[in-house]
Amino acid sequence: MKPGAAEWYVRHAEAYLKTFEGRRLATHTAVEVEAWLAERGRIGRLQSWQFCQMVEAVRLLLQLAHAPAEAAVDWDYWREAGRELPATHPTLARSLAPKPPAGEVEGGKGVDALRGQVVAVIRQRNYSIRTEEAYCGWLDRFARFLKGADPRAAGAVEVKAFLQDLAVQGRVAASTQNQALNALVFLYDKVLERPLGALGSFARAKRPQPLPVVLSRDEVVRLLGRMDGVHGMMAALLYGTGMRLMECVRLRVKDLDFEYRQIVVRDGKGQKDRVVPMPARLVDGLQAHLAKVRGLHQEDLARGAGAVFLPDALERKYPAAPREWGWQYVFAASRLSADPRGGVVRRHHLHESSLQKAVHRAAREASLSKPVSCHALRHSFATHVLEAGYDIRTVQELLGHSDVSTTMIYTHVLNRGGRGVVSPLDRVG
Protein backbone atom coordinates (compact mmCIF):
# COMPACT_ATOMS: atom_id res chain seq x y z
CA MET A 1 0.00 0.00 0.00
CA LYS A 2 1.29 3.49 -0.84
CA PRO A 3 2.60 5.54 2.10
CA GLY A 4 -0.20 7.55 3.62
CA ALA A 5 -2.96 5.51 1.98
CA ALA A 6 -3.51 3.29 5.02
CA GLU A 7 -4.96 6.22 6.96
CA TRP A 8 -7.64 6.73 4.32
CA TYR A 9 -8.50 3.02 4.19
CA VAL A 10 -9.07 3.17 7.94
CA ARG A 11 -11.26 6.27 7.56
CA HIS A 12 -13.41 4.58 4.93
CA ALA A 13 -13.76 1.48 7.11
CA GLU A 14 -14.73 3.60 10.11
CA ALA A 15 -17.34 5.47 8.04
CA TYR A 16 -18.83 2.14 7.00
CA LEU A 17 -18.88 0.84 10.59
CA LYS A 18 -20.52 4.02 11.83
CA THR A 19 -23.45 3.47 9.45
CA PHE A 20 -24.10 0.05 11.03
CA GLU A 21 -23.20 1.04 14.56
CA GLY A 22 -24.09 -1.64 17.14
CA ARG A 23 -24.22 -4.51 14.60
CA ARG A 24 -21.68 -7.26 14.18
CA LEU A 25 -20.08 -7.50 10.74
CA ALA A 26 -21.13 -11.14 10.54
CA THR A 27 -24.77 -10.01 10.31
CA HIS A 28 -24.24 -7.65 7.35
CA THR A 29 -25.78 -8.74 4.04
CA ALA A 30 -24.48 -8.21 0.52
CA VAL A 31 -27.55 -6.06 -0.21
CA GLU A 32 -26.66 -3.74 2.68
CA VAL A 33 -23.03 -3.51 1.60
CA GLU A 34 -23.96 -2.66 -1.99
CA ALA A 35 -26.57 -0.14 -0.82
CA TRP A 36 -23.87 1.62 1.23
CA LEU A 37 -21.50 1.69 -1.77
CA ALA A 38 -24.29 2.97 -4.03
CA GLU A 39 -25.00 5.77 -1.59
CA ARG A 40 -21.34 6.80 -1.55
CA GLY A 41 -21.27 6.52 -5.33
CA ARG A 42 -23.81 9.33 -5.59
CA ILE A 43 -21.25 11.84 -4.35
CA GLY A 44 -20.55 13.50 -7.67
CA ARG A 45 -17.34 15.21 -6.54
CA LEU A 46 -15.79 11.87 -5.58
CA GLN A 47 -12.97 10.95 -7.92
CA SER A 48 -12.76 7.50 -9.46
CA TRP A 49 -9.65 6.47 -7.50
CA GLN A 50 -11.25 7.63 -4.25
CA PHE A 51 -14.34 5.52 -4.85
CA CYS A 52 -12.22 2.47 -5.75
CA GLN A 53 -10.22 3.02 -2.54
CA MET A 54 -13.48 3.10 -0.57
CA VAL A 55 -14.66 -0.16 -2.18
CA GLU A 56 -11.38 -1.90 -1.39
CA ALA A 57 -11.41 -0.64 2.21
CA VAL A 58 -14.84 -2.17 2.86
CA ARG A 59 -13.81 -5.42 1.16
CA LEU A 60 -10.70 -5.71 3.33
CA LEU A 61 -12.71 -4.94 6.46
CA LEU A 62 -15.23 -7.69 5.76
CA GLN A 63 -12.47 -10.10 4.74
CA LEU A 64 -10.51 -9.55 7.96
CA ALA A 65 -13.68 -10.09 9.98
CA HIS A 66 -14.54 -13.28 8.00
CA ALA A 67 -17.96 -11.76 7.32
CA PRO A 68 -20.10 -13.92 4.95
CA ALA A 69 -21.11 -10.83 2.93
CA GLU A 70 -17.54 -10.50 1.62
CA ALA A 71 -17.95 -13.57 -0.58
CA ALA A 72 -21.40 -12.52 -1.82
CA VAL A 73 -20.57 -9.03 -3.14
CA ASP A 74 -19.43 -8.61 -6.77
CA TRP A 75 -16.35 -6.55 -5.88
CA ASP A 76 -15.01 -6.50 -9.42
CA TYR A 77 -18.14 -4.71 -10.58
CA TRP A 78 -17.97 -2.07 -7.86
CA ARG A 79 -14.24 -1.56 -8.27
CA GLU A 80 -14.05 -1.47 -12.05
CA ALA A 81 -17.47 -0.05 -12.95
CA GLY A 82 -16.71 3.00 -10.82
CA ARG A 83 -14.37 4.37 -13.47
CA GLU A 84 -15.27 7.65 -15.11
CA LEU A 85 -15.61 8.01 -18.87
CA PRO A 86 -12.92 10.38 -20.17
CA ALA A 87 -13.79 13.13 -22.65
CA THR A 88 -12.16 11.04 -25.41
CA HIS A 89 -14.32 7.97 -24.72
CA PRO A 90 -16.24 6.84 -27.84
CA THR A 91 -19.60 7.38 -26.12
CA LEU A 92 -18.92 11.02 -25.28
CA ALA A 93 -16.37 12.38 -27.73
CA ARG A 94 -18.58 12.18 -30.81
CA SER A 95 -20.67 15.06 -29.46
CA LEU A 96 -17.70 17.31 -28.67
CA ALA A 97 -17.43 20.48 -30.71
CA PRO A 98 -14.28 20.61 -32.87
CA LYS A 99 -11.43 22.37 -31.10
CA PRO A 100 -10.25 25.65 -32.67
CA PRO A 101 -6.71 25.77 -34.07
CA ALA A 102 -4.21 26.04 -31.22
CA GLY A 103 -1.23 27.19 -33.24
CA GLU A 104 1.39 25.32 -35.16
CA VAL A 105 2.39 21.69 -34.69
CA GLU A 106 5.24 19.62 -35.95
CA GLY A 107 4.67 18.96 -39.62
CA GLY A 108 4.10 22.47 -40.94
CA LYS A 109 2.14 25.69 -40.65
CA GLY A 110 -1.63 25.39 -40.78
CA VAL A 111 -1.88 21.68 -39.99
CA ASP A 112 -3.89 22.45 -36.86
CA ALA A 113 -6.41 24.41 -38.89
CA LEU A 114 -6.64 21.59 -41.42
CA ARG A 115 -7.11 19.09 -38.59
CA GLY A 116 -10.02 21.19 -37.33
CA GLN A 117 -11.63 20.95 -40.77
CA VAL A 118 -11.17 17.16 -40.79
CA VAL A 119 -12.75 16.84 -37.34
CA ALA A 120 -15.72 19.01 -38.35
CA VAL A 121 -16.45 16.97 -41.49
CA ILE A 122 -16.05 13.66 -39.62
CA ARG A 123 -18.51 14.72 -36.95
CA GLN A 124 -20.98 16.01 -39.51
CA ARG A 125 -20.95 12.50 -40.98
CA ASN A 126 -21.28 10.94 -37.50
CA TYR A 127 -18.15 8.79 -37.81
CA SER A 128 -16.79 7.10 -34.70
CA ILE A 129 -14.30 8.85 -32.46
CA ARG A 130 -11.72 6.14 -33.22
CA THR A 131 -11.98 6.90 -36.94
CA GLU A 132 -11.54 10.58 -36.09
CA GLU A 133 -8.42 9.90 -34.04
CA ALA A 134 -6.94 7.65 -36.72
CA TYR A 135 -7.57 10.08 -39.60
CA CYS A 136 -6.14 13.03 -37.65
CA GLY A 137 -3.11 10.90 -36.79
CA TRP A 138 -2.51 10.09 -40.45
CA LEU A 139 -2.84 13.76 -41.37
CA ASP A 140 -0.08 14.61 -38.88
CA ARG A 141 2.10 11.74 -40.11
CA PHE A 142 1.60 12.77 -43.75
CA ALA A 143 2.50 16.37 -42.86
CA ARG A 144 5.75 15.19 -41.26
CA PHE A 145 6.51 13.15 -44.39
CA LEU A 146 6.14 16.33 -46.46
CA LYS A 147 8.87 17.97 -44.31
CA GLY A 148 7.09 21.27 -43.73
CA ALA A 149 5.16 21.54 -46.99
CA ASP A 150 1.43 22.30 -46.72
CA PRO A 151 -0.71 19.18 -47.36
CA ARG A 152 -3.11 21.43 -49.30
CA ALA A 153 -0.44 21.94 -51.92
CA ALA A 154 0.25 18.21 -52.25
CA GLY A 155 -1.61 15.70 -54.39
CA ALA A 156 -1.66 12.20 -55.78
CA VAL A 157 2.11 12.05 -56.36
CA GLU A 158 2.93 12.86 -52.72
CA VAL A 159 0.22 10.55 -51.37
CA LYS A 160 1.49 7.68 -53.51
CA ALA A 161 5.08 8.28 -52.32
CA PHE A 162 3.90 8.34 -48.69
CA LEU A 163 2.00 5.05 -49.03
CA GLN A 164 4.98 3.42 -50.71
CA ASP A 165 7.28 4.65 -47.94
CA LEU A 166 4.98 3.09 -45.35
CA ALA A 167 5.25 -0.29 -47.05
CA VAL A 168 8.95 -0.26 -47.94
CA GLN A 169 10.59 1.72 -45.13
CA GLY A 170 7.95 1.44 -42.42
CA ARG A 171 7.11 -2.21 -43.22
CA VAL A 172 3.58 -1.65 -41.92
CA ALA A 173 0.78 -4.19 -42.16
CA ALA A 174 -1.63 -4.07 -45.09
CA SER A 175 -4.46 -2.92 -42.84
CA THR A 176 -2.33 0.02 -41.64
CA GLN A 177 -1.46 1.06 -45.17
CA ASN A 178 -5.13 0.82 -46.19
CA GLN A 179 -6.18 2.96 -43.23
CA ALA A 180 -3.64 5.61 -44.26
CA LEU A 181 -4.99 5.49 -47.82
CA ASN A 182 -8.58 5.87 -46.61
CA ALA A 183 -7.62 8.80 -44.36
CA LEU A 184 -5.89 10.70 -47.17
CA VAL A 185 -8.62 9.96 -49.71
CA PHE A 186 -11.10 11.34 -47.18
CA LEU A 187 -8.93 14.44 -46.63
CA TYR A 188 -8.71 15.36 -50.32
CA ASP A 189 -12.15 14.16 -51.40
CA LYS A 190 -14.45 15.16 -48.52
CA VAL A 191 -12.54 17.94 -46.73
CA LEU A 192 -10.57 19.75 -49.45
CA GLU A 193 -13.06 18.68 -52.16
CA ARG A 194 -10.17 17.91 -54.50
CA PRO A 195 -10.30 14.15 -55.25
CA LEU A 196 -6.97 12.43 -55.80
CA GLY A 197 -8.15 10.33 -58.71
CA ALA A 198 -6.30 7.16 -59.73
CA LEU A 199 -3.06 6.67 -57.82
CA GLY A 200 -1.74 3.98 -60.11
CA SER A 201 0.47 1.17 -58.89
CA PHE A 202 2.63 1.42 -55.78
CA ALA A 203 4.26 -0.98 -53.34
CA ARG A 204 1.59 -2.72 -51.30
CA ALA A 205 2.12 -4.07 -47.81
CA LYS A 206 1.72 -7.81 -47.56
CA ARG A 207 -1.74 -8.81 -46.42
CA PRO A 208 -1.74 -11.73 -43.96
CA GLN A 209 -4.86 -13.85 -43.66
CA PRO A 210 -5.12 -14.65 -39.94
CA LEU A 211 -8.04 -16.80 -38.89
CA PRO A 212 -10.20 -15.51 -36.04
CA VAL A 213 -9.75 -16.95 -32.55
CA VAL A 214 -12.69 -19.29 -32.00
CA LEU A 215 -13.47 -21.10 -28.77
CA SER A 216 -15.00 -24.56 -28.78
CA ARG A 217 -18.31 -25.00 -27.00
CA ASP A 218 -16.49 -26.66 -24.12
CA GLU A 219 -14.08 -23.73 -23.87
CA VAL A 220 -16.99 -21.28 -23.84
CA VAL A 221 -18.58 -23.22 -20.98
CA ARG A 222 -15.29 -23.20 -19.05
CA LEU A 223 -14.80 -19.46 -19.63
CA LEU A 224 -18.33 -18.41 -18.67
CA GLY A 225 -18.24 -20.80 -15.72
CA ARG A 226 -15.44 -18.66 -14.26
CA MET A 227 -17.52 -15.50 -14.51
CA ASP A 228 -20.51 -14.31 -12.53
CA GLY A 229 -22.36 -11.13 -11.66
CA VAL A 230 -22.74 -8.31 -14.18
CA HIS A 231 -19.57 -9.19 -16.08
CA GLY A 232 -20.67 -12.80 -16.40
CA MET A 233 -23.99 -11.68 -17.86
CA MET A 234 -22.29 -9.35 -20.32
CA ALA A 235 -19.85 -12.02 -21.49
CA ALA A 236 -22.75 -14.43 -21.98
CA LEU A 237 -24.52 -11.76 -24.06
CA LEU A 238 -21.44 -11.28 -26.26
CA TYR A 239 -21.39 -15.00 -27.03
CA GLY A 240 -25.17 -15.42 -27.15
CA THR A 241 -25.83 -12.53 -29.54
CA GLY A 242 -22.59 -11.85 -31.42
CA MET A 243 -22.56 -8.21 -30.32
CA ARG A 244 -19.40 -6.14 -30.34
CA LEU A 245 -17.97 -5.02 -27.01
CA MET A 246 -19.12 -1.37 -27.22
CA GLU A 247 -22.53 -2.39 -28.57
CA CYS A 248 -23.08 -4.42 -25.42
CA VAL A 249 -21.74 -1.76 -23.06
CA ARG A 250 -23.98 0.95 -24.58
CA LEU A 251 -27.24 -1.01 -24.46
CA ARG A 252 -30.23 1.02 -23.24
CA VAL A 253 -33.24 -0.42 -21.42
CA LYS A 254 -35.53 0.30 -24.38
CA ASP A 255 -33.34 -1.88 -26.62
CA LEU A 256 -34.31 -5.07 -24.75
CA ASP A 257 -37.55 -6.57 -26.11
CA PHE A 258 -38.61 -9.37 -23.77
CA GLU A 259 -41.92 -9.87 -25.59
CA TYR A 260 -40.25 -10.85 -28.86
CA ARG A 261 -37.06 -12.17 -27.22
CA GLN A 262 -34.79 -9.88 -29.19
CA ILE A 263 -32.29 -7.06 -28.68
CA VAL A 264 -32.02 -4.02 -30.94
CA VAL A 265 -28.40 -3.00 -31.48
CA ARG A 266 -28.41 0.74 -32.15
CA ASP A 267 -25.85 2.66 -34.17
CA GLY A 268 -23.50 -0.28 -34.72
CA LYS A 269 -20.44 -0.14 -36.94
CA GLY A 270 -21.30 1.93 -40.00
CA GLN A 271 -24.16 3.63 -38.09
CA LYS A 272 -26.50 0.73 -38.74
CA ASP A 273 -29.19 -0.74 -36.49
CA ARG A 274 -29.87 -4.47 -36.39
CA VAL A 275 -31.75 -7.06 -34.36
CA VAL A 276 -30.13 -10.00 -32.57
CA PRO A 277 -31.76 -12.84 -30.61
CA MET A 278 -32.09 -12.58 -26.84
CA PRO A 279 -30.80 -15.84 -25.30
CA ALA A 280 -33.69 -17.50 -23.44
CA ARG A 281 -31.46 -18.59 -20.56
CA LEU A 282 -30.54 -14.95 -19.86
CA VAL A 283 -34.11 -13.61 -19.69
CA ASP A 284 -34.63 -14.13 -15.95
CA GLY A 285 -31.17 -12.82 -15.11
CA LEU A 286 -31.62 -9.72 -17.27
CA GLN A 287 -35.00 -8.95 -15.73
CA ALA A 288 -33.59 -9.33 -12.21
CA HIS A 289 -30.64 -7.12 -13.16
CA LEU A 290 -32.95 -4.45 -14.60
CA ALA A 291 -34.97 -4.46 -11.38
CA LYS A 292 -31.80 -3.53 -9.47
CA VAL A 293 -30.87 -0.87 -12.01
CA ARG A 294 -34.38 0.58 -11.85
CA GLY A 295 -34.19 0.83 -8.08
CA LEU A 296 -30.87 2.64 -8.44
CA HIS A 297 -32.41 4.98 -11.02
CA GLN A 298 -35.39 5.81 -8.81
CA GLU A 299 -33.06 6.64 -5.94
CA ASP A 300 -31.03 8.86 -8.25
CA LEU A 301 -34.19 10.67 -9.35
CA ALA A 302 -35.22 11.20 -5.73
CA ARG A 303 -31.89 12.97 -5.15
CA GLY A 304 -32.19 15.22 -8.19
CA ALA A 305 -29.98 13.14 -10.49
CA GLY A 306 -31.04 10.24 -12.76
CA ALA A 307 -30.06 11.70 -16.13
CA VAL A 308 -27.96 9.89 -18.73
CA PHE A 309 -26.02 11.03 -21.77
CA LEU A 310 -28.03 11.19 -25.01
CA PRO A 311 -26.30 11.17 -28.40
CA ASP A 312 -26.71 13.48 -31.38
CA ALA A 313 -28.20 16.46 -29.51
CA LEU A 314 -31.31 14.46 -28.54
CA GLU A 315 -31.18 16.04 -25.10
CA ARG A 316 -31.91 19.46 -26.59
CA LYS A 317 -34.77 18.09 -28.66
CA TYR A 318 -36.29 16.02 -25.83
CA PRO A 319 -35.29 17.69 -22.53
CA ALA A 320 -37.11 15.11 -20.36
CA ALA A 321 -35.69 12.06 -22.14
CA PRO A 322 -32.39 11.78 -20.18
CA ARG A 323 -34.33 10.90 -17.01
CA GLU A 324 -36.76 8.46 -18.63
CA TRP A 325 -36.37 4.81 -17.68
CA GLY A 326 -36.13 3.56 -21.28
CA TRP A 327 -33.03 5.64 -21.97
CA GLN A 328 -31.08 4.37 -18.95
CA TYR A 329 -28.07 2.15 -19.56
CA VAL A 330 -28.64 -1.56 -18.97
CA PHE A 331 -25.13 -1.91 -17.57
CA ALA A 332 -24.95 1.28 -15.54
CA ALA A 333 -21.82 2.33 -13.70
CA SER A 334 -21.74 1.76 -9.96
CA ARG A 335 -21.42 5.46 -9.22
CA LEU A 336 -22.32 8.90 -10.50
CA SER A 337 -19.55 10.88 -12.16
CA ALA A 338 -19.13 14.33 -13.66
CA ASP A 339 -19.41 14.49 -17.43
CA PRO A 340 -15.92 15.69 -18.50
CA ARG A 341 -17.43 17.93 -21.19
CA GLY A 342 -19.64 20.13 -19.02
CA GLY A 343 -19.38 18.91 -15.46
CA VAL A 344 -22.96 17.58 -15.35
CA VAL A 345 -23.18 14.73 -12.83
CA ARG A 346 -24.59 11.62 -14.51
CA ARG A 347 -24.60 7.86 -14.26
CA HIS A 348 -22.78 6.63 -17.33
CA HIS A 349 -22.45 3.04 -18.50
CA LEU A 350 -19.62 1.02 -16.99
CA HIS A 351 -16.22 1.29 -18.62
CA GLU A 352 -15.59 -1.40 -21.24
CA SER A 353 -12.16 -2.13 -19.79
CA SER A 354 -13.81 -3.68 -16.73
CA LEU A 355 -15.40 -6.37 -18.91
CA GLN A 356 -12.18 -6.90 -20.86
CA LYS A 357 -10.26 -7.45 -17.62
CA ALA A 358 -12.91 -9.85 -16.32
CA VAL A 359 -12.77 -11.94 -19.53
CA HIS A 360 -8.96 -12.09 -19.50
CA ARG A 361 -8.95 -13.10 -15.85
CA ALA A 362 -11.55 -15.82 -16.44
CA ALA A 363 -9.53 -17.18 -19.39
CA ARG A 364 -6.46 -17.50 -17.17
CA GLU A 365 -8.43 -19.20 -14.42
CA ALA A 366 -9.97 -21.61 -16.94
CA SER A 367 -6.45 -22.43 -18.27
CA LEU A 368 -7.39 -21.59 -21.87
CA SER A 369 -4.33 -21.53 -24.11
CA LYS A 370 -5.97 -19.42 -26.83
CA PRO A 371 -5.67 -15.60 -26.79
CA VAL A 372 -9.18 -15.00 -25.48
CA SER A 373 -10.77 -11.57 -25.76
CA CYS A 374 -14.28 -10.15 -25.83
CA HIS A 375 -14.16 -10.22 -29.63
CA ALA A 376 -13.31 -13.92 -29.56
CA LEU A 377 -16.80 -14.49 -28.13
CA ARG A 378 -18.27 -12.76 -31.19
CA HIS A 379 -16.13 -14.97 -33.47
CA SER A 380 -17.31 -18.03 -31.55
CA PHE A 381 -20.96 -17.00 -31.93
CA ALA A 382 -20.62 -16.68 -35.71
CA THR A 383 -18.77 -19.97 -36.07
CA HIS A 384 -21.16 -21.96 -33.91
CA VAL A 385 -24.23 -20.51 -35.65
CA LEU A 386 -22.78 -21.57 -39.02
CA GLU A 387 -21.99 -25.02 -37.62
CA ALA A 388 -25.63 -25.30 -36.54
CA GLY A 389 -26.68 -25.06 -40.19
CA TYR A 390 -27.79 -21.43 -40.54
CA ASP A 391 -27.02 -19.81 -43.90
CA ILE A 392 -24.27 -17.27 -44.41
CA ARG A 393 -26.68 -14.39 -45.17
CA THR A 394 -28.45 -14.85 -41.84
CA VAL A 395 -25.14 -14.77 -40.00
CA GLN A 396 -24.12 -11.68 -41.98
CA GLU A 397 -27.25 -9.84 -40.80
CA LEU A 398 -26.79 -10.94 -37.19
CA LEU A 399 -23.19 -9.68 -37.16
CA GLY A 400 -23.99 -6.45 -38.98
CA HIS A 401 -21.44 -6.99 -41.76
CA SER A 402 -21.84 -4.78 -44.85
CA ASP A 403 -20.13 -7.31 -47.12
CA VAL A 404 -20.78 -11.04 -47.00
CA SER A 405 -17.10 -11.66 -47.81
CA THR A 406 -16.29 -10.49 -44.27
CA THR A 407 -18.59 -13.15 -42.89
CA MET A 408 -17.15 -15.85 -45.15
CA ILE A 409 -14.01 -16.07 -43.00
CA TYR A 410 -16.01 -18.04 -40.43
CA THR A 411 -16.64 -20.85 -42.92
CA HIS A 412 -13.09 -22.09 -42.26
CA VAL A 413 -14.43 -24.28 -39.46
CA LEU A 414 -16.61 -26.16 -41.94
CA ASN A 415 -13.48 -27.24 -43.81
CA ARG A 416 -12.22 -29.46 -41.05
CA GLY A 417 -8.76 -30.98 -41.35
CA GLY A 418 -7.65 -28.81 -44.27
CA ARG A 419 -10.73 -28.55 -46.53
CA GLY A 420 -12.14 -31.80 -45.28
CA VAL A 421 -9.13 -33.90 -46.28
CA VAL A 422 -8.54 -36.91 -44.04
CA SER A 423 -4.93 -37.09 -42.91
CA PRO A 424 -3.11 -40.14 -44.33
CA LEU A 425 -1.82 -40.86 -40.83
CA ASP A 426 -5.39 -41.65 -39.77
CA ARG A 427 -5.67 -44.26 -42.55
CA VAL A 428 -2.58 -46.18 -41.52
CA GLY A 429 -3.50 -49.54 -40.04
Side-chain angles (χ1 to χ4, degrees):
M1 189 174 292
K2 293 181 180 179
E7 176 187 351
W8 289 100
Y9 277 79
V10 172
R11 289 188 185 187
H12 295 318
E14 287 175 339
Y16 175 82
L17 289 169
K18 189 173 181 180
T19 305
F20 300 95
E21 197 168 0
R23 284 185 52 194
R24 295 173 60 245
L25 286 169
T27 65
H28 294 195
T29 66
V31 173
E32 291 173 322
V33 175
E34 294 186 341
W36 188 87
L37 293 173
E39 182 65 30
R40 294 304 183 276
R42 291 189 180 90
I43 303 174
R45 66 180 182 276
L46 204 64
Q47 303 232 357
S48 178
W49 67 268
Q50 292 173 313
F51 180 75
C52 292
Q53 188 182 70
M54 189 178 295
V55 171
E56 187 64 8
V58 175
R59 187 191 70 80
L60 288 170
L61 174 67
L62 295 174
Q63 184 185 66
L64 288 168
H66 302 288
E70 191 271 333
V73 174
D74 187 354
W75 297 105
D76 286 336
Y77 166 73
W78 288 98
R79 189 185 303 110
E80 297 289 351
R83 291 185 59 187
E84 299 175 1
L85 299 188
T88 54
H89 190 275
T91 297
L92 302 175
R94 189 181 288 179
S95 298
L96 280 170
K99 292 182 179 179
E104 298 181 6
V105 295
E106 182 186 0
K109 184 177 180 180
V111 174
D112 267 359
L114 186 55
R115 188 188 301 107
Q117 290 180 260
V118 172
V119 169
V121 175
I122 284 176
R123 291 182 185 175
Q124 286 169 6
R125 294 170 177 268
N126 204 28
Y127 288 3
S128 75
I129 186 62
R130 293 195 170 107
T131 298
E132 177 183 314
E133 291 172 345
Y135 281 16
C136 288
W138 283 116
L139 168 61
D140 292 341
R141 194 163 172 177
F142 181 53
R144 289 195 296 272
F145 175 79
L146 295 177
K147 301 186 186 310
D150 192 335
R152 296 177 186 85
V157 173
E158 291 79 6
V159 169
K160 181 177 176 180
F162 174 62
L163 295 173
Q164 184 146 318
D165 182 74
L166 286 176
V168 178
Q169 303 298 325
R171 302 176 68 181
V172 300
S175 58
T176 303
Q177 189 187 44
N178 286 337
Q179 187 186 67
L181 172 61
N182 292 338
L184 296 178
V185 167
F186 180 86
L187 169 66
Y188 286 96
D189 187 8
K190 307 301 182 185
V191 180
L192 299 177
E193 297 183 347
R194 186 160 52 85
L196 291 171
L199 293 177
S201 60
F202 56 90
R204 290 277 187 175
K206 293 183 179 179
R207 180 182 294 276
Q209 294 289 337
L211 293 176
V213 175
V214 176
L215 305 179
S216 67
R217 287 177 174 80
D218 176 65
E219 288 171 329
V220 170
V221 170
R222 287 163 55 195
L223 177 73
L224 297 181
R226 295 284 180 167
M227 303 183 70
D228 54 16
V230 175
H231 293 136
M233 183 179 299
M234 295 177 74
L237 267 179
L238 292 181
Y239 172 67
T241 64
M243 283 189 290
R244 299 178 178 91
L245 171 61
M246 291 306 301
E247 292 171 346
C248 178
V249 169
R250 289 185 185 141
L251 279 178
R252 310 268 183 163
V253 172
K254 64 184 181 64
D255 298 331
L256 303 186
D257 189 340
F258 290 99
E259 191 71 27
Y260 286 97
R261 293 287 196 272
Q262 63 185 22
I263 298 173
V264 181
V265 179
R266 309 277 183 186
D267 196 20
K269 195 171 183 179
Q271 294 104 55
K272 299 188 296 290
D273 293 355
R274 70 182 190 279
V275 176
V276 296
M278 179 185 293
R281 68 168 59 190
L282 294 182
V283 169
D284 291 343
L286 281 171
Q287 290 177 331
H289 171 73
L290 287 181
K292 291 177 63 176
V293 175
R294 185 156 204 165
L296 205 60
H297 175 56
Q298 290 171 341
E299 291 176 9
D300 288 345
L301 289 174
R303 288 166 172 80
V308 292
F309 167 81
L310 292 190
D312 306 327
L314 283 174
E315 187 172 353
R316 292 197 297 270
K317 189 174 183 180
Y318 306 107
R323 287 178 169 80
E324 292 177 0
W325 168 237
W327 279 103
Q328 303 304 305
Y329 287 114
V330 174
F331 301 109
S334 61
R335 60 180 291 266
L336 300 177
S337 60
D339 191 320
R341 301 162 309 163
V344 179
V345 177
R346 293 190 173 104
R347 190 179 295 279
H348 296 297
H349 58 68
L350 59 76
H351 201 287
E352 68 275 9
S353 65
S354 66
L355 177 55
Q356 292 171 320
K357 290 178 182 177
V359 169
H360 292 153
R361 184 168 52 251
R364 288 196 304 270
E365 293 175 356
S367 300
L368 299 181
S369 57
K370 296 175 181 177
V372 180
S373 65
C374 291
H375 212 65
L377 293 171
R378 174 174 161 89
H379 293 323
S380 303
F381 163 86
T383 303
H384 297 166
V385 168
L386 278 173
E387 281 186 316
Y390 290 92
D391 64 275
I392 194 74
R393 291 289 181 182
T394 298
V395 179
Q396 177 191 359
E397 290 181 11
L398 291 174
L399 294 176
H401 287 160
S402 299
D403 191 338
V404 71
S405 63
T406 307
T407 319
M408 289 294 291
I409 192 170
Y410 297 110
T411 61
H412 75 279
V413 298
L414 305 179
N415 303 323
R416 296 182 183 280
R419 303 188 179 279
V421 175
V422 178
S423 170
L425 181 62
D426 295 330
R427 298 184 182 277
V428 176

